[in-house]
Amino acid sequence: MKRVLLLAIFMVSIPALLIADGKKKKPEAAEPAKENNKEIHWITNIDELQAKMQQNPKKVYVDIYTGWCGWCKKMDASTFQNPDLIKYMNTNYYAVKLDAERKDTIHFMGKDYYFEPQYKANTFAVEMLKGQMSYPTAVIMMENFQNPQVIPGYRGVPELELYLTYFGDNAYKHQNGGDYQKNFKSTWDHGEKPDMTPPAGH
């Protein structure tokens, strides 16, 4: 079932992504990885993210979480601590931490987003998740915030390696997600298998 879900997620929006990307200029090469690769260089300021994108376009990985989400905390303590994942993320993506329930106004791409009591979330998160408010959820965007791909749920290192490299290595430009998954071979060190005991309240 899990493999079917992964395949289904991969197939969503890929044809449109291939067509749209074919009309764009070749992006600049990713900037060299920073020396400090002991942790992911998370961005929480959306203005900073937009400024960085103007200076050096890169893909974006958005981790959408809440303070009460047990699986979010488990992913922080396990998946996001993997050395190979950290290095790859810092080199190929702008990594963003987005608290879905933040109360401040967010200015993004000429539009203002604010906390919406109806969803108990900021409308920026609501739009990113298309109203499907579950946590954690990742959103991967191409350069200049194009073609967002929504990836819901907790992801271990092998799964996230699959998604990150599919888009980060530009495999999506010439191979559909299903074929990439079938031929995918993990090369990252996964370390010890994480404790998958459901967090309290889940």
Side-chain angles (χ1 to χ4, degrees):
M1 175 61 74
K2 194 170 187 180
R3 183 177 180 85
V4 173
L5 288 174
L6 281 170
L7 182 60
I9 293 171
F10 254 147
M11 298 306 295
V12 174
S13 302
I14 296 302
L17 185 61
L18 289 167
I19 295 172
D21 196 82
K23 299 178 181 179
K24 298 177 184 177
K25 296 181 180 179
K26 184 178 180 180
E28 297 179 10
E31 63 182 10
K34 295 180 181 179
E35 292 183 3
N36 176 18
N37 275 316
K38 293 183 178 179
E39 60 184 16
I40 295 174
H41 303 147
W42 293 110
I43 298 171
T44 59
N45 187 310
I46 303 302
D47 290 336
E48 177 187 352
L49 171 65
Q50 294 179 94
K52 285 180 176 292
M53 185 65 77
Q54 287 188 335
Q55 295 171 358
N56 180 33
K58 290 173 64 174
K59 296 175 177 66
V60 180
Y61 178 94
V62 185
D63 175 42
I64 304 179
Y65 72 99
T66 65
W68 48 263
C69 169
W71 283 112
C72 301
K73 295 175 182 177
K74 188 177 283 287
M75 198 164 174
D76 281 338
S78 56
T79 306
F80 292 140
Q81 300 303 313
N82 180 273
D84 289 331
L85 187 150
I86 291 171
K87 184 176 181 180
Y88 189 88
M89 184 81 82
N90 288 342
T91 302
N92 296 279
Y93 288 83
Y94 289 127
V96 178
K97 273 282 188 189
L98 177 65
D99 182 349
E101 298 179 338
R102 58 189 287 180
K103 301 296 197 299
D104 60 324
T105 299
I106 297 174
H107 308 282
F108 180 73
M109 302 288 286
K111 186 176 178 180
D112 289 343
Y113 298 87
Y114 50 87
F115 183 79
E116 174 55 68
Q118 176 185 348
Y119 290 97
K120 298 180 180 179
N122 194 291
T123 52
F124 185 53
V126 175
E127 183 169 302
M128 294 276 280
L129 299 182
K130 301 177 182 179
Q132 302 299 311
M133 312 309 290
S134 64
Y135 313 104
T137 292
V139 177
I140 292 179
M141 292 184 280
M142 304 306 109
E143 292 82 355
N144 298 309
F145 311 114
Q146 298 299 306
N147 302 303
Q149 308 293 310
V150 180
I151 305 170
Y154 173 95
R155 301 291 168 179
V157 174
E159 291 176 283
L160 206 51
E161 179 185 0
L162 174 71
Y163 290 114
L164 290 177
T165 56
Y166 179 64
F167 294 109
D169 293 346
N170 293 319
Y172 71 92
K173 293 182 179 180
H174 53 79
Q175 188 175 23
N176 68 56
D179 288 340
Y180 185 81
Q181 183 182 357
K182 291 177 183 177
N183 299 317
F184 175 76
K185 292 183 180 180
S186 175
T187 61
W188 295 356
D189 181 3
H190 302 159
E192 296 182 5
K193 189 174 182 180
D195 176 15
M196 295 305 294
T197 303
H202 286 72

